[in-house]
Amino acid sequence: MTELLKKRLFIKTYGCQMNVHDSERMADVLRPLGYALTDRPDHADLVVLNTCHIREKATEKVYSELGRVKVLKAARAEQGSTMIVAVAGCVAQAEGAEIMNRQTAVDLVIGPQSYHRLPELIARAHRSRGERLAADFEAEEKFDLLPMDRRPDGVTAFLTVQEGCDRFCTFCVVPYTRGAEFSRPAAAIEAEARRLVDKGVREITLLGQNVNAYHNDDGGGLAGLIRRLARIPGLARLRYTTSHPADMDEALIAAHGEVEVLMPYLHLPVQSGSDRILKAMNRAHTVDSYRRTIDRVRAARPDIALSCDFIVGFPGETDADFEASMTLIRDVGYASAFSFKYSRRPGTPAAAMAGQVDDAVKSERLAELQALLEAQQRRFNAGQIGRALPVLFEKPGRHSGQIIGRSPYLQAVHCQGSVDLIGRIESVRIFDSAHNSLTGLRTPVVADEPAGEIA
Ligand code: SAH
Ligand code: SF4
Ligand code: F3S
């Protein structure tokens, strides 16, 4: 009977892990109102699109999805039921009321700092077409007001420690959509981490748009926070993302060598291998300072897997600038990386720069860069063959009797095993590798490294 009273919520998430995490929090805030998640938008009483504004394509996707949602909403209206359509996330923050003008199916628009107000705004949307826009920047209020009762849906979880960005890279919308940098107090983060671990979480990824700029009351920065969380009994693995090279301080580098639960994986976007371009991007680091940082990180943790973001075709990028990026990639050697064609974002300084690069040139450069990065990723994965790795099992695989976990280096690892293994860390001997995953056999042999991590 109670099931019938339940309202159904469909959330579609675009963009970065911060959005993935925010979508979970929106589900948390709506659960007490009777909303249960569904994966069928046509059955939903409430549809939330949690949007991304980072590149033009990401924004366009939202408008085409809204076109489809409009049809579903009309079909429900014909059956005598309603569907509330909410646009959340970075497009909501950047475009605000304009979304409602462009797509009439939208009932409310809510920016990332206002999710605690969702219940109130949904009630209003039901009652009238009153206040439908919430897009302010009260980050502190958001963290205080979101429910504490998170329901993790697995053994790994994201935990937001920092939001916003003050760096203003000239290509990027994030400082405009997410606002100024804000770090949560360490005690609140630790309390949330403990609650997650109590609910069965074994691995936590600390999230922030510029996470290594995290600063707190006790002055310990991200390294201090990591050391504090590492003491939580039952927490087996810690990760953090995304970092800026200029904020990679000595304390954090040292933590990579000393904190056992801190996984040997670092996503440290450089964007370009040319100093001229880095300067035009306002990146606040040079190619040389980045290389020296990588050297120090590798000295602290020799097996660390490095990941990166690259942009090709930034305004003014010449063949020589592009070649400098290729050289940097060859020299560093990445375990994985993301790469993008520069996308001109309205309102950002780079959008108005001279020397915009032709799309055909961007495509050519991207293909060349991605071929190199893919070869490196395959090589890194193949390098694990024969090793025994500690794998945290996360979920059943697609085939029966198969289970999927992750290596310390964030690689997906497939092997035979029962679902009882979920949440456990066991040693897996790797015998095969592909572009995106490894395959292995569980082994009674203790894993090679990192030592002491076997549950
Ligand atoms: N805070 C993170 C993530 C920013 S967005 C960071 O500083 O790395 C993720 C990636 O998207 C960026 O690293 C960059 O490579 C890419 N990106 C951001 N704006 C872009 C744009 N206008 N065009 C193409 N790629 C972009
Ligand atoms: Fe964007 Fe630069 Fe901030 Fe990253 S550091 S979020 S790329 S402005
Ligand atoms: Fe996109 Fe906003 Fe994340 S623009 S990448 S969803 S911070």
Side-chain angles (χ1 to χ4, degrees):
M1 203 40 214
T2 44
E3 269 309 297
L4 289 176
L5 298 172
K6 282 232 185 245
K7 287 171 274 185
R8 282 170 294 208
L9 163 66
F10 174 81
I11 307 185
K12 183 156 185 173
T13 309
Y14 302 82
C16 64
Q17 282 154 333
M18 187 71 86
N19 263 13
V20 174
H21 177 257
D22 281 348
S23 289
E24 287 172 11
R25 305 310 305 272
M26 283 191 262
D28 290 339
V29 91
L30 292 168
R31 197 173 297 115
L33 276 75
Y35 282 100
L37 282 170
T38 172
D39 51 13
R40 302 246 335 238
D42 53 334
H43 282 185
D45 302 289
L46 171 61
V47 168
V48 178
L49 300 186
N50 192 8
T51 63
C52 174
H53 196 56
I54 201 85
R55 285 168 289 275
E56 199 178 345
K57 255 196 200 140
T59 307
E60 277 169 5
K61 272 191 209 155
V62 175
Y63 284 103
S64 48
E65 186 65 26
L66 280 174
R68 285 189 288 273
V69 169
K70 187 183 182 178
V71 176
L72 300 180
K73 181 172 174 160
R76 267 180 83 82
E78 262 174 39
Q79 294 159 9
S81 27
T82 50
M83 175 192 277
I84 294 188
V85 179
V87 177
C90 291
V91 179
Q93 188 66 44
E95 300 194 355
E98 210 182 303
I99 301 171
M100 287 186 287
N101 298 337
R102 262 183 79 174
Q103 181 46 271
T104 49
V106 176
D107 296 292
L108 66 101
V109 174
I110 182 161
Q113 305 308 335
S114 305
Y115 295 153
H116 55 284
R117 295 187 55 208
L118 255 180
E120 167 207 338
L121 288 163
I122 286 165
R124 279 175 198 244
H126 264 301
R127 282 200 301 271
S128 68
R129 302 282 166 197
E131 186 189 354
R132 296 185 298 162
L133 180 69
D136 52 26
F137 273 134
E138 295 299 324
E140 203 160 354
E141 193 180 62
K142 165 187 173 179
F143 286 117
D144 287 347
L145 297 177
L146 278 172
M148 293 305 218
D149 182 30
R150 284 183 64 182
R151 192 181 289 182
D153 67 351
V155 297
T156 62
F158 294 125
L159 200 174
T160 301
V161 304
Q162 179 274 341
E163 229 187 302
C165 184
D166 292 340
R167 288 224 162 257
F168 290 92
C169 302
T170 54
F171 52 80
C172 184
V173 294
V174 171
Y176 311 97
T177 63
R178 293 280 174 164
E181 238 169 71
F182 169 79
S183 293
R184 293 177 69 194
I189 295 166
E190 183 183 338
E192 189 172 341
R194 284 185 185 272
R195 280 193 299 271
L196 288 168
V197 172
D198 284 345
K199 289 178 179 164
V201 167
R202 308 238 33 223
E203 172 178 306
I204 291 179
T205 302
L206 308 178
L207 278 187
Q209 259 88 32
N210 190 2
V211 71
N212 59 346
Y214 174 83
H215 51 275
N216 56 16
D217 18 346
D218 61 25
L222 186 63
L225 182 69
I226 286 169
R227 287 180 193 271
R228 180 170 177 161
L229 299 179
R231 290 195 289 269
I232 298 176
L235 180 61
R237 292 181 165 190
L238 267 175
R239 305 179 185 276
Y240 60 93
T241 199
T242 291
S243 299
H244 190 285
D247 291 309
M248 205 65 212
D249 62 21
E250 287 310 318
L252 187 54
I253 294 173
H256 273 284
E258 292 163 9
V259 179
E260 211 171 303
V261 296
L262 182 59
M263 290 294 99
Y265 181 93
L266 175 63
H267 182 63
L268 192 62
V270 69
Q271 315 298 356
S272 168
S274 155
D275 277 338
R276 218 173 55 79
I277 297 297
L278 289 177
K279 191 153 187 276
M281 286 177 165
N282 189 32
R283 282 292 291 180
H285 60 82
T286 62
V287 178
D288 189 52
S289 68
Y290 170 81
R291 282 176 187 265
R292 278 185 282 125
T293 300
I294 296 295
D295 289 345
R296 290 204 303 276
V297 171
R298 280 184 162 152
R301 183 74 207 231
D303 67 328
I304 199 156
L306 294 173
S307 167
C308 203
D309 291 343
F310 291 92
I311 294 177
V312 299
F314 184 82
E317 186 186 73
T318 62
D319 285 341
D321 294 319
F322 172 69
E323 276 313 316
S325 293
M326 295 290 282
T327 302
L328 181 65
I329 296 170
R330 279 187 209 100
D331 290 352
V332 173
Y334 292 96
S336 70
F338 302 92
S339 45
F340 313 97
K341 287 197 267 188
Y342 167 71
S343 171
R344 210 168 169 174
R345 307 310 287 129
T348 57
M353 284 180 189
Q356 298 287 329
V357 176
D358 204 66
D359 191 59
V361 175
K362 286 184 198 169
S363 299
E364 227 170 81
R365 288 180 185 166
L366 187 67
E368 200 180 325
L369 190 111
Q370 288 186 337
L372 175 59
L373 288 168
E374 186 185 324
Q376 290 193 341
Q377 186 167 347
R378 283 182 186 279
R379 203 175 316 138
F380 180 78
N381 288 348
Q384 311 299 327
I385 294 176
R387 289 186 69 192
L389 297 176
V391 172
L392 170 59
F393 289 108
E394 289 177 16
K395 56 184 181 193
R398 255 182 302 160
H399 308 293
S400 92
Q402 193 191 47
I403 186 153
I404 300 179
R406 291 214 178 254
S407 77
Y409 312 108
L410 207 59
Q411 297 147 303
V413 180
H414 300 249
C415 74
Q416 292 301 114
S418 95
V419 288
D420 300 342
L421 289 165
I422 291 172
R424 294 188 52 174
I425 296 170
E426 296 221 346
S427 178
V428 174
R429 178 76 63 192
I430 305 302
F431 64 77
D432 199 8
S433 75
H435 178 202
N436 278 318
S437 64
L438 306 175
T439 313
L441 276 177
R442 280 190 301 130
T443 148
V445 181
V446 174
D448 296 341
E449 56 188 297
E453 216 214 321
I454 305 295

